[in-house]
Amino acid sequence: MIQILDQFSNPDLSRKLLDKVKNLAETFIEKHGRKPVIMEVCGSHTMALARSGIKQALRDYVKLVSGPGCPVCVTDQKSIDAMIQLAQGDGRIICTFGDMIRVPGSNGSLLDAKSEGKDIRVVYSPSDSVRIAEKNPDKEVIFLGIGFETTIPSLGIALKEANEKGLEKYSMWVTTKLVEPILRVLLEAQEVKLDGFLLPGHVSIVLGKHSYHYLVDEYGVPGTICGFEPVGVLGGIYKLIAMLLDERVEIENYHTHVVTHSGNSFAQEIMKTYFKECDEWWRGLGVIPNSGLDIRKEFAHLDAKKKFNVHVGEPRKTKCRCGDILRGLAVPEDCVLYGKACTPSKPIGPCMVSSEGTCAAHYQYMRGDII
């Protein structure tokens, strides 16, 4: 397996594949009079494309549009305000993933709350928050659970552990997102004409290749499942352009060493056991019906939304254009705040905060393109 993974980072293979992608894209441009337009759904792809230089190298050949696949970026402002308000209560330990702690709400961030003396802890796994609850039985321990299908099974595992251990003061504030509903919304809105999708390797490990059949059957849009190393991403782009030239509409799996047809049945069962579909707020998109998962009523005693009385008003408006960037309608440079009032050291929007955010990727790796 290690040898296989090494091949996906091989620079010689990457350079050869890059040339092949350029040649194929030129054929597409000659045939259609424009560049192919491909959306990378996942924030990890966005960061990988910028960090490896692939996006810059393909600038004149392929239009790569960043999609709404970063969980921090798509978390609505109201949800962030609610999480920060939740942290204001006494006798509480708030556990969160690292990126969330710096996302600004209408009145400060979790990091600000921590600097004011609140007990905010960064964890690497939802199960870490269960360990913290075991060690602090006199405190309310609340985990802020965000994420797509990649993360949701691990949230379910933490709920399972807390339930089986009978931790009465442990709960989870869940605001999760699902890939299929947001792709349907983007395709039906037709705000951006897309020729195909680069589909996320890690989400696909859970869901399986078959979960994308609606793209082909209902929308006639092809896609390739690929990982996050240069050879994987370039291979996915190459296969997608080849399909477009052949006028084939299929889902191809370029991540076959870990993605199967039907996905991970254990992870899917965990999701079904602990969560149910719910309407979710998305940044820049509003409420999308059945686009998230919430904790089932059987486990309401672990649901922080039911345990704590949190109400937030309308979020403070800013000139941040993260909502437009997530829909593919704008690039970071279109935002008046980008690189000036909004930087990684002083972010205003989540796309600059997140390690998978489009603005963060542009700022770290693509600023030379706009100077």
Side-chain angles (χ1 to χ4, degrees):
M1 178 61 83
I2 292 175
Q3 289 179 328
I4 293 174
L5 295 177
D6 285 344
Q7 288 300 304
F8 278 94
S9 300
N10 186 304
D12 291 333
L13 281 178
S14 299
R15 280 189 284 271
K16 291 176 182 175
L17 201 44
L18 180 64
D19 289 339
K20 293 184 70 172
V21 170
K22 287 180 178 178
N23 291 335
L24 209 58
E26 284 181 332
T27 305
F28 182 98
I29 293 168
E30 288 174 7
K31 182 176 180 180
H32 296 280
R34 63 173 179 81
K35 293 182 282 187
V37 182
I38 297 173
M39 174 175 277
E40 77 269 9
V41 175
C42 178
S44 295
H45 275 149
T46 297
M47 189 58 75
L49 285 164
R51 184 173 51 234
S52 63
I54 292 172
K55 189 160 189 172
Q56 300 89 315
L58 292 180
R59 183 192 305 113
D60 297 330
Y61 302 88
V62 181
K63 183 177 181 181
L64 291 164
V65 180
S66 299
C70 164
V72 174
C73 301
V74 296
T75 300
D76 183 72
Q77 186 69 52
K78 280 188 177 180
S79 297
I80 292 169
D81 287 347
M83 293 177 190
I84 293 169
Q85 188 180 125
L86 197 64
Q88 298 302 322
D90 294 327
R92 297 176 184 175
I93 300 174
I94 305 296
C95 299
T96 178
F97 293 131
D99 283 351
M100 284 302 298
I101 198 168
R102 296 177 60 235
V103 179
S106 296
N107 299 291
S109 64
L110 289 169
L111 186 60
D112 293 328
K114 183 177 177 65
S115 66
E116 293 166 1
K118 300 302 180 183
D119 195 345
I120 316 288
R121 305 187 189 186
V122 172
V123 297
Y124 295 99
S125 160
S127 291
D128 291 343
S129 64
V130 178
R131 307 286 93 76
I132 291 172
E134 286 183 284
K135 294 176 181 176
N136 297 272
D138 58 328
K139 298 282 186 70
E140 291 284 353
V141 175
I142 307 157
F143 179 74
L144 305 179
I146 69 165
F148 283 87
E149 288 93 336
T150 316
T151 308
I152 296 172
S154 67
L155 303 182
I157 292 290
L159 290 173
K160 181 176 186 291
E161 291 175 341
N163 190 51
E164 291 176 352
K165 293 176 185 296
L167 299 177
E168 296 181 355
K169 292 194 173 185
Y170 178 86
S171 59
M172 194 178 287
W173 182 282
V174 170
T175 174
T176 60
K177 304 290 189 293
L178 301 175
V179 169
E180 180 176 339
I182 187 62
L183 294 190
R184 286 182 179 275
V185 166
L186 291 177
L187 289 169
E188 288 170 10
Q190 296 188 331
E191 294 176 312
V192 179
K193 169 61 180 172
L194 300 172
D195 292 307
F197 289 107
L198 280 186
L199 299 165
H202 43 27
V203 165
S204 304
I205 292 173
V206 174
L207 298 180
K209 177 186 173 184
H210 83 104
S211 67
Y212 301 109
H213 64 87
Y214 61 95
L215 294 176
V216 173
D217 298 342
E218 299 180 41
Y219 298 99
V221 176
T224 51
I225 300 167
C226 58
F228 306 97
E229 299 299 334
V231 171
V233 177
L234 284 166
I237 296 171
Y238 180 85
K239 282 182 173 286
L240 197 44
I241 299 174
M243 274 195 282
L244 294 172
L245 286 171
D246 293 342
E247 298 183 354
R248 287 185 293 117
V249 182
E250 300 173 5
I251 302 299
E252 288 207 8
N253 182 4
Y254 200 63
H255 211 39
T256 53
H257 50 293
V258 286
V259 175
T260 63
H261 179 76
S262 55
N264 185 318
S265 58
F266 175 76
Q268 293 168 13
E269 189 60 32
I270 286 287
M271 291 167 65
K272 289 178 184 175
T273 301
Y274 290 92
F275 300 100
K276 62 177 182 179
E277 285 189 354
C278 68
D279 299 345
E280 268 289 345
W281 281 88
W282 293 65
R283 184 177 291 266
L285 291 157
V287 176
I288 299 176
N290 296 323
S291 64
L293 296 180
D294 214 346
I295 297 173
R296 285 189 177 278
K297 63 180 180 181
E298 299 95 300
F299 306 100
H301 54 289
L302 297 170
D303 189 344
K305 289 180 180 174
K306 294 182 171 57
K307 198 170 185 178
F308 301 99
N309 188 26
V310 175
H311 295 286
V312 295
E314 284 302 309
R316 180 172 59 87
K317 292 184 178 178
T318 73
K319 294 181 180 178
C320 172
R321 295 194 65 185
C322 282
D324 291 335
I325 292 168
L326 292 167
R327 291 151 62 197
L329 301 180
V331 295
E333 292 80 5
D334 293 332
C335 178
V336 297
L337 304 176
Y338 172 78
K340 300 168 187 167
C342 183
T343 65
S345 60
K346 193 178 180 181
I348 291 179
C351 292
M352 184 64 85
V353 177
S354 173
S355 59
E356 297 182 353
T358 305
C359 294
H362 277 235
Y363 192 90
Q364 290 182 59
Y365 302 109
M366 298 175 66
R367 274 190 295 165
D369 289 353
I370 61 172
I371 293 173

